[in-house]
Protein backbone atom coordinates (compact mmCIF):
# COMPACT_ATOMS: atom_id res chain seq x y z
CA UNK A 1 0.00 0.00 0.00
CA UNK A 2 1.23 3.47 -0.86
CA UNK A 3 2.28 5.44 2.24
CA UNK A 4 0.84 8.67 0.78
CA UNK A 5 -2.62 7.16 0.20
CA UNK A 6 -5.36 9.29 1.68
CA UNK A 7 -7.68 7.85 4.30
CA UNK A 8 -10.95 6.27 3.32
CA UNK A 9 -14.23 8.05 3.99
CA UNK A 10 -15.40 7.97 7.61
CA UNK A 11 -18.36 8.98 9.76
CA UNK A 12 -16.37 12.11 10.66
CA UNK A 13 -16.14 12.97 6.95
CA UNK A 14 -19.89 12.34 6.58
CA UNK A 15 -20.64 14.70 9.47
CA UNK A 16 -18.42 17.36 7.87
CA UNK A 17 -20.28 17.11 4.53
CA UNK A 18 -23.69 17.19 6.23
CA UNK A 19 -22.60 20.12 8.43
CA UNK A 20 -21.43 22.08 5.37
CA UNK A 21 -24.77 21.44 3.63
CA UNK A 22 -26.64 22.54 6.77
CA UNK A 23 -24.56 25.71 7.15
CA UNK A 24 -25.35 26.84 3.60
CA UNK A 25 -29.01 25.81 3.99
CA UNK A 26 -29.38 27.62 7.32
CA UNK A 27 -27.88 30.76 5.74
CA UNK A 28 -30.39 30.56 2.88
CA UNK A 29 -27.45 30.43 0.47
CA UNK A 30 -28.63 28.56 -2.64
CA UNK A 31 -25.45 29.32 -4.57
CA UNK A 32 -23.24 28.17 -1.71
CA UNK A 33 -25.39 25.07 -1.24
CA UNK A 34 -24.95 24.25 -4.94
CA UNK A 35 -21.17 24.60 -4.65
CA UNK A 36 -21.15 21.51 -2.43
CA UNK A 37 -22.27 19.40 -5.41
CA UNK A 38 -20.32 18.18 -8.42
CA UNK A 39 -21.03 20.08 -11.66
CA UNK A 40 -22.97 17.07 -13.02
CA UNK A 41 -24.70 16.05 -9.77
CA UNK A 42 -28.21 14.66 -9.64
CA UNK A 43 -30.62 15.65 -6.87
CA UNK A 44 -33.99 13.99 -6.28
CA UNK A 45 -36.20 16.07 -4.01
CA UNK A 46 -38.61 14.53 -1.48
CA UNK A 47 -41.46 14.99 -3.97
CA UNK A 48 -39.63 13.13 -6.75
CA UNK A 49 -38.53 16.18 -8.77
CA UNK A 50 -35.14 15.59 -10.41
CA UNK A 51 -32.59 18.41 -10.51
CA UNK A 52 -29.61 17.99 -12.83
CA UNK A 53 -26.30 19.69 -12.24
CA UNK A 54 -24.88 22.10 -9.71
CA UNK A 55 -26.44 25.13 -11.39
CA UNK A 56 -30.00 23.75 -11.33
CA UNK A 57 -29.57 22.57 -7.74
CA UNK A 58 -28.35 26.04 -6.71
CA UNK A 59 -31.11 27.86 -8.61
CA UNK A 60 -33.90 25.70 -7.17
CA UNK A 61 -32.57 26.04 -3.65
CA UNK A 62 -32.17 29.79 -4.05
CA UNK A 63 -35.84 29.95 -5.04
CA UNK A 64 -36.93 27.64 -2.23
CA UNK A 65 -34.87 29.49 0.40
CA UNK A 66 -36.68 32.69 -0.61
CA UNK A 67 -40.12 31.04 -0.55
CA UNK A 68 -41.26 27.64 0.80
CA UNK A 69 -38.10 26.94 2.81
CA UNK A 70 -37.56 30.51 3.99
CA UNK A 71 -36.00 30.59 7.46
CA UNK A 72 -35.67 26.82 7.77
CA UNK A 73 -32.77 24.97 9.35
CA UNK A 74 -31.46 21.65 8.07
CA UNK A 75 -31.36 19.08 10.85
CA UNK A 76 -29.48 15.77 10.64
CA UNK A 77 -31.01 13.19 12.98
CA UNK A 78 -28.81 10.18 12.39
CA UNK A 79 -26.10 8.97 10.09
CA UNK A 80 -27.41 5.48 9.46
CA UNK A 81 -24.61 4.16 7.29
CA UNK A 82 -21.33 5.16 5.72
CA UNK A 83 -19.80 3.00 3.04
CA UNK A 84 -16.61 3.62 1.11
CA UNK A 85 -17.11 2.48 -2.48
CA UNK A 86 -13.64 3.35 -3.74
CA UNK A 87 -10.78 5.51 -2.64
CA UNK A 88 -12.65 8.59 -3.88
CA UNK A 89 -16.30 7.55 -3.59
CA UNK A 90 -18.62 6.96 -0.66
CA UNK A 91 -22.30 6.44 0.07
CA UNK A 92 -23.96 7.98 3.13
CA UNK A 93 -27.48 7.34 4.36
CA UNK A 94 -28.84 9.77 6.93
CA UNK A 95 -32.12 10.99 8.35
CA UNK A 96 -33.17 14.55 8.90
CA UNK A 97 -35.56 17.33 8.00
CA UNK A 98 -35.99 21.00 7.30
CA UNK A 99 -37.15 22.62 10.53
CA UNK A 100 -39.22 25.81 10.40
CA UNK A 101 -38.47 28.57 12.93
CA UNK A 102 -41.64 27.88 14.92
CA UNK A 103 -40.82 24.17 15.28
CA UNK A 104 -38.80 22.97 18.24
CA UNK A 105 -38.17 19.45 16.96
CA UNK A 106 -38.58 17.33 13.87
CA UNK A 107 -41.97 15.65 13.75
CA UNK A 108 -42.26 12.09 12.38
CA UNK A 109 -44.40 13.45 9.51
CA UNK A 110 -41.48 15.62 8.25
CA UNK A 111 -38.63 13.15 8.80
CA UNK A 112 -36.84 12.12 5.60
CA UNK A 113 -34.09 9.69 4.66
CA UNK A 114 -31.31 10.93 2.39
CA UNK A 115 -28.87 8.89 0.35
CA UNK A 116 -25.78 10.83 -0.71
CA UNK A 117 -23.24 9.62 -3.24
CA UNK A 118 -20.01 11.49 -2.58
CA UNK A 119 -16.90 11.99 -4.69
CA UNK A 120 -13.55 13.30 -3.62
CA UNK A 121 -12.61 16.01 -6.12
CA UNK A 122 -9.26 17.77 -5.65
CA UNK A 123 -9.16 16.60 -2.03
CA UNK A 124 -12.68 17.86 -1.26
CA UNK A 125 -15.77 15.69 -0.77
CA UNK A 126 -18.66 16.81 -3.01
CA UNK A 127 -22.15 15.41 -3.46
CA UNK A 128 -22.51 13.67 -6.83
CA UNK A 129 -25.95 12.20 -6.15
CA UNK A 130 -28.65 12.99 -3.62
CA UNK A 131 -31.99 11.23 -3.06
CA UNK A 132 -34.40 12.52 -0.43
CA UNK A 133 -37.53 10.60 0.57
CA UNK A 134 -40.05 11.10 3.34
CA UNK A 135 -40.14 8.25 5.82
CA UNK A 136 -43.62 6.78 5.72
CA UNK A 137 -43.48 3.25 7.09
CA UNK A 138 -45.63 0.80 5.17
CA UNK A 139 -47.92 -1.24 7.42
CA UNK A 140 -47.26 -4.98 7.29
CA UNK A 141 -50.09 -6.13 9.53
CA UNK A 142 -53.47 -5.12 10.86
CA UNK A 143 -56.88 -4.63 9.28
CA UNK A 144 -55.85 -1.88 6.82
CA UNK A 145 -52.98 -4.03 5.54
CA UNK A 146 -55.24 -7.07 5.20
CA UNK A 147 -57.86 -5.07 3.29
CA UNK A 148 -55.27 -3.51 0.96
CA UNK A 149 -53.63 -6.91 0.33
CA UNK A 150 -57.01 -8.46 -0.58
CA UNK A 151 -57.84 -5.57 -2.92
CA UNK A 152 -54.49 -5.85 -4.72
CA UNK A 153 -54.82 -9.62 -5.03
CA UNK A 154 -58.34 -9.28 -6.49
CA UNK A 155 -57.20 -6.71 -9.07
CA UNK A 156 -54.16 -8.77 -10.08
CA UNK A 157 -56.23 -11.96 -10.38
CA UNK A 158 -58.84 -10.08 -12.48
CA UNK A 159 -56.11 -8.68 -14.78
CA UNK A 160 -54.52 -12.12 -15.19
CA UNK A 161 -57.88 -13.71 -16.08
CA UNK A 162 -58.56 -10.96 -18.63
CA UNK A 163 -55.15 -11.41 -20.29
Amino acid sequence: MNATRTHLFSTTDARAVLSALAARWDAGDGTGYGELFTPDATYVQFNGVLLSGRREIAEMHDLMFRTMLYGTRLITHDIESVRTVGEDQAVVVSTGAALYPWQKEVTPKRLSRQTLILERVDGRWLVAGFQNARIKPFPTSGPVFALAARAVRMRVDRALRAA
Side-chain angles (χ1 to χ4, degrees):
M1 181 182 284
N2 185 337
T4 61
R5 181 177 172 199
T6 57
H7 78 282
L8 296 180
F9 195 80
S10 69
T11 301
T12 301
D13 296 317
R15 287 190 199 293
V17 170
L18 293 169
S19 291
L21 289 166
R24 306 284 174 91
W25 183 291
D26 296 356
D29 180 5
T31 301
Y33 187 79
E35 289 171 357
L36 300 173
F37 292 80
T38 61
D40 61 347
T42 57
Y43 191 109
V44 179
Q45 297 177 304
F46 82 94
N47 58 357
V49 171
L50 173 64
L51 305 176
S52 297
R54 174 186 287 157
R55 182 173 160 206
E56 191 172 359
I57 293 165
E59 288 172 356
M60 176 59 78
H61 282 84
D62 182 57
L63 171 66
M64 295 307 290
F65 293 153
R66 289 183 285 114
T67 59
M68 301 304 292
L69 295 173
Y70 178 75
T72 58
R73 291 182 299 124
L74 191 59
I75 305 297
T76 299
H77 253 211
D78 296 308
I79 295 175
E80 295 182 320
S81 70
V82 173
R83 185 168 62 96
T84 301
V85 179
E87 194 169 316
D88 295 315
Q89 298 85 28
V91 177
V92 174
V93 177
S94 65
T95 59
L99 194 66
Y100 286 95
W102 60 85
Q103 296 175 311
K104 292 186 181 357
E105 61 186 43
V106 176
T107 61
K109 180 179 171 183
R110 295 201 38 87
L111 190 62
S112 294
R113 179 166 285 118
Q114 301 80 33
T115 302
L116 295 86
I117 300 168
L118 303 169
E119 275 183 33
R120 186 175 8 220
V121 179
D122 297 327
R124 183 174 169 221
W125 288 101
L126 298 175
V127 182
F130 183 92
Q131 167 81 45
N132 188 32
R134 285 283 162 82
I135 299 173
K136 295 182 180 181
F138 188 79
T140 56
S141 63
V144 173
F145 178 77
L147 181 63
R150 270 195 311 275
V152 167
R153 206 171 256 296
M154 285 175 26
R155 289 190 76 175
V156 168
D157 289 345
R158 189 177 318 134
L160 291 174
R161 282 192 303 271

